[in-house]
Amino acid sequence: MCAADHGREQGMRIGEVASRAGVSVRSVRYYEDQGLLVSTRSAGGQRQYTEHEVERVRFLQRLYTAGLSSRTIAELLPCVDAPSADHSDAALERMAEERDRLTEHIADLVRTRDALNELMTAAREYRDAEFA
Amino acid sequence: MCAADHGREQGMRIGEVASRAGVSVRSVRYYEDQGLLVSTRSAGGQRQYTEHEVERVRFLQRLYTAGLSSRTIAELLPCVDAPSADHSDAALERMAEERDRLTEHIADLVRTRDALNELMTAAREYRDAEFA
DNA sequence: CTTGCCTCTGACGTCAGTGTCAGGTTCTAG
DNA sequence: CTAGAACCTGACACTGACGTCAGAGGCAAG
């Protein structure tokens, strides 16, 4: 069943990467289009990946759910992939920006969650008053 | 029925509500389309609002930035507007759901922020190694 | 009345990430 | 060798919360 059954650590194909990372095949191709992921190709032109790419896709997902756009992620990745003085200064600043944005966003969400809790408390009081 | 004790707030028009709440006129109309906001109309058909609607729009914004969709918000509002036993049970559950989702999302964001911080630390070490 | 700003409805455009379809090729199990 | 699963590229569809434009009308001031 498994292409890796022969003990060869050859490339996985896109379907396997997608299912392991829990995303769609379409998304994996999209990430590559956006330059967030690279692949080698088989003789026939099919994408080949290693375990490393599965991690990469999971990492991308984290950044996406954190609200970063493909564009922003693309700006950060060079530093992640090949840290160097050249990349670092720009990317560090970018990351700091995003981290701060995240921190702010988190605080906002917490406030909203608290507001939601207050609403629930109020609603419960109303309900309990009906039954009193 | 009118809020006599709200002062002499005649109807604001849509532009004023929008700027006070810090959103676009388009957005205010959209919220009304989605049933999240109501307005009275002047003789000529223009929307009229009170201070109360400004608060409402701000509240809607909070929910939007918390990641709730118009649809979800529409399900919660009846309980907010007219708390009653009928609405409460369903809406309470919905709110609890959303609160939990928020909590989870927040935890996720915190993890991502931490990951970002780790990346920054790694990048800094690289950079500092260059200068050493 | 006219000027000018604000508003009205309706409809199409945008962006990002993804679904999906079409028409064709590659790979693998039997 | 063959069937069929998985893959390829390319392109159009979709969702959501708006932006934006068009053509028409409201509303206070001069």
Side-chain angles (χ1 to χ4, degrees):
Chain A
M1 294 248 174
C2 241
D5 256 1
H6 298 306
R8 265 268 172 256
E9 207 170 302
Q10 294 280 45
M12 286 179 262
R13 291 195 295 171
I14 196 171
E16 193 174 348
V17 172
S19 72
R20 283 205 194 178
V23 305
S24 69
V25 167
R26 178 69 174 88
S27 294
V28 177
R29 290 205 195 98
Y30 179 73
Y31 301 158
E32 186 169 329
D33 282 351
Q34 302 303 305
L36 311 179
L37 193 63
V38 289
S39 63
T40 56
R41 297 297 184 116
S42 73
Q46 300 197 347
R47 292 171 179 83
Q48 291 185 143
Y49 301 95
T50 67
E51 288 291 339
H52 187 254
E53 269 68 52
V54 177
E55 277 179 49
R56 165 68 73 129
V57 171
R58 290 206 184 102
F59 179 60
L60 293 177
Q61 277 290 302
R62 310 243 357 210
L63 296 181
Y64 273 121
T65 62
L68 306 211
S69 67
S70 294
R71 198 164 143 57
T72 302
I73 296 174
E75 292 179 43
L76 300 184
L77 285 182
C79 180
V80 175
D81 292 335
S84 75
D86 287 352
H87 298 136
S88 288
D89 286 338
L92 267 175
E93 201 165 337
R94 203 85 177 83
M95 286 197 222
E97 260 177 48
E98 290 303 326
R99 184 202 49 191
D100 294 344
R101 195 188 54 75
L102 260 184
T103 298
E104 210 171 322
H105 189 51
I106 289 169
D108 208 44
L109 292 187
V110 168
R111 279 193 295 270
T112 301
R113 185 187 54 183
D114 292 348
L116 221 48
N117 269 329
E118 280 174 35
L119 279 177
M120 291 174 66
T121 300
R124 254 191 232 99
E125 277 168 12
Y126 247 87
R127 190 194 51 186
D128 295 349
E130 300 265 318
F131 285 125
Chain B
M1 191 183 308
C2 302
D5 59 349
H6 271 48
R8 55 196 55 195
E9 311 295 343
Q10 299 279 35
M12 282 179 265
R13 292 194 296 172
I14 196 171
E16 193 173 349
V17 172
S19 73
R20 283 204 195 178
V23 305
S24 69
V25 167
R26 178 68 174 90
S27 294
V28 176
R29 289 205 195 97
Y30 178 73
Y31 300 159
E32 187 169 328
D33 282 349
Q34 302 302 305
L36 311 180
L37 193 62
V38 289
S39 62
T40 55
R41 297 297 183 115
S42 72
Q46 300 196 350
R47 292 172 180 84
Q48 291 185 147
Y49 302 95
T50 68
E51 288 291 340
H52 187 254
E53 269 69 52
V54 177
E55 276 179 49
R56 166 68 73 128
V57 170
R58 289 207 185 101
F59 179 60
L60 292 176
Q61 277 290 301
R62 310 246 353 212
L63 296 181
Y64 274 119
T65 62
L68 306 211
S69 66
S70 293
R71 198 164 144 58
T72 302
I73 296 173
E75 291 178 44
L76 300 184
L77 285 183
C79 181
V80 176
D81 292 335
S84 76
D86 286 352
H87 298 136
S88 287
D89 286 338
L92 267 175
E93 201 164 337
R94 202 85 178 83
M95 287 198 223
E97 260 177 49
E98 289 304 325
R99 183 201 49 191
D100 294 344
R101 195 189 54 75
L102 259 183
T103 298
E104 209 170 323
H105 189 51
I106 289 169
D108 207 44
L109 292 187
V110 168
R111 277 193 297 270
T112 301
R113 184 186 55 182
D114 292 348
L116 221 48
N117 268 328
E118 280 174 36
L119 279 178
M120 290 174 66
T121 300
R124 255 192 230 99
E125 277 167 13
Y126 247 87
R127 190 194 50 185
D128 295 348
E130 301 264 319
F131 286 125

